[in-house]
Amino acid sequence: MSIVSAQQLSKQYVSGDITIQAICEATFTIAPASFVAFVGPSGSGKSTLLNMIGCLDPPTSGKLEVVGKEVTNLSPSESAAFRGENIGFIFQDFNLIPILTVFENIEYPLIMVQNWPAAKRKQQVEKMLEAVGMQDQAGKYPSQISGGQKQRVAVARALVTNARLVLADEPTANLDRETANRIITLMKTMRDEFSTTFLFSTHDPKVMNNAEIIFTLEDGRLQEKNHNHGGGHA
Ligand code: ADP
Ligand code: MG
């Protein structure tokens, strides 16, 4: 049983006369509740790969299964429904909604994507606020909290729908090293608590040491590097 399984997964971008092989025949499987880093320099294909796994961008060829479903040929509306049910996203620039409070930002997917009743929503948002240590900041707006706190809110928002898989594209790129390590540690704690699979990308070799499984990317070619059981030393 795997939560992500890819066979000879490829993605090409064609612009004018130029074809870019962004991902070249990647084959890998990821077990549930894994804590995985995709590491490579800018332009190596990290976002392309995460976007395919997140059903934001279809593969050019190959086969991709996510949370037990073959997603290779989903239509845009099928992809959107599948994402809403199964996948949480954390972005490098946090993507919080500025006019909503911390509480409302975390609540948002429960209203917009999953249509939970109000009482159940409140209970779930409070559980997530506590899990990321932001219960005292619930009424603040994003402009009133730090970058590290914004990313905590983003982690809570990604998990609030009970997503089985969380994808984080360079979640620490806009954070200092110490805050970055704290966010990665928080994600790992959330994995332990909720058994959610976390896949994150980074170009920072120090951040990747916190992962248990590391894949490297170079010019669209994927390689499994090692198993870092017991975690790293950043
Ligand atoms: P990374 O996230 O590791 O920086 P990307 O996945 O964004 O790398 O990009 C991989 C390659 O694909 C790069 O050469 C990039 O220029 C190219 N690329 C990414 N997205 C597009 C696009 N929408 N159109 C054309 N080329 C793209
Ligand atoms: Mg990228």
Side-chain angles (χ1 to χ4, degrees), residues 11-15 18 20-23 38-51 57 169-170 201-203 217 219-220:
K11 178 74 185 185
Q12 293 166 1
Y13 292 109
V14 181
S15 46
I18 301 168
I20 294 162
Q21 187 77 36
I23 291 292
F38 292 99
V39 187
S42 178
S44 58
K46 303 182 295 296
S47 296
T48 301
L49 185 59
L50 287 176
N51 289 344
D57 203 10
D169 195 359
E170 304 213 36
S201 70
T202 180
H203 61 253
L217 270 164
D219 291 331

Side-chain angles (χ1 to χ4, degrees), residues 190-234:
M190 303 298 266
R191 185 283 308 269
D192 294 342
E193 188 167 343
F194 300 105
S195 297
T196 310
T197 308
F198 277 83
L199 311 187
F200 68 96
S201 70
T202 180
H203 61 253
D204 185 339
K206 291 242 168 62
V207 168
M208 86 185 188
N209 285 334
N210 291 296
E212 289 166 354
I213 299 168
I214 298 170
F215 290 96
T216 58
L217 270 164
E218 221 181 295
D219 291 331
R221 289 176 194 279
L222 186 79
Q223 221 172 17
E224 186 162 354
K225 196 168 174 243
N226 58 14
H227 283 254
N228 236 347
H229 287 303
H233 11 255

Side-chain angles (χ1 to χ4, degrees), residues 2-230:
S2 63
I3 193 135
V4 180
S5 160
Q7 273 151 47
Q8 298 190 296
L9 189 68
S10 294
K11 178 74 185 185
Q12 293 166 1
Y13 292 109
V14 181
S15 46
D17 296 344
I18 301 168
T19 299
I20 294 162
Q21 187 77 36
I23 291 292
C24 185
E25 301 199 335
T27 297
F28 60 93
T29 58
I30 291 167
S34 298
F35 197 71
V36 182
F38 292 99
V39 187
S42 178
S44 58
K46 303 182 295 296
S47 296
T48 301
L49 185 59
L50 287 176
N51 289 344
M52 286 194 284
I53 296 169
C55 304
L56 292 163
D57 203 10
T60 310
S61 62
K63 201 175 150 198
L64 180 61
E65 250 182 61
V66 179
V67 197
K69 188 180 171 77
E70 161 95 54
V71 299
T72 320
N73 296 307
L74 293 186
S75 71
S77 67
E78 287 168 335
S79 296
F82 180 75
R83 280 197 301 275
E85 276 303 314
N86 297 289
I87 306 177
F89 293 89
I90 299 168
F91 301 95
Q92 114 179 26
D93 51 4
F94 322 126
N95 278 20
L96 301 183
I97 300 170
I99 60 163
L100 299 184
T101 63
V102 163
F103 185 100
E104 290 162 345
N105 265 282
I106 298 170
E107 184 183 35
Y108 189 78
L110 298 180
I111 301 172
M112 296 311 290
V113 184
Q114 291 199 350
N115 199 19
W116 288 35
K120 202 175 152 209
R121 276 201 316 265
K122 183 164 184 288
Q123 196 180 22
Q124 175 73 351
V125 173
E126 280 167 358
K127 177 174 136 188
M128 298 317 304
L129 279 166
E130 195 188 329
V132 301
M134 288 290 288
Q135 58 273 57
D136 297 340
Q137 319 285 324
K140 288 194 177 165
Y141 290 88
S143 62
Q144 300 173 311
I145 59 177
S146 70
Q149 290 176 321
K150 282 182 201 161
Q151 205 54 311
R152 283 174 178 268
V153 176
V155 170
R157 182 185 53 187
L159 286 161
V160 75
T161 59
N162 299 319
R164 297 322 307 141
L165 176 64
V166 170
L167 305 178
D169 195 359
E170 304 213 36
T172 63
N174 291 335
L175 301 174
D176 61 78
R177 170 69 42 76
E178 195 184 317
T179 309
N181 281 331
R182 260 190 261 134
I183 287 296
I184 299 291
T185 303
L186 172 69
M187 295 195 323
K188 206 187 270 177
T189 308
M190 303 298 266
R191 185 283 308 269
D192 294 342
E193 188 167 343
F194 300 105
S195 297
T196 310
T197 308
F198 277 83
L199 311 187
F200 68 96
S201 70
T202 180
H203 61 253
D204 185 339
K206 291 242 168 62
V207 168
M208 86 185 188
N209 285 334
N210 291 296
E212 289 166 354
I213 299 168
I214 298 170
F215 290 96
T216 58
L217 270 164
E218 221 181 295
D219 291 331
R221 289 176 194 279
L222 186 79
Q223 221 172 17
E224 186 162 354
K225 196 168 174 243
N226 58 14
H227 283 254
N228 236 347
H229 287 303

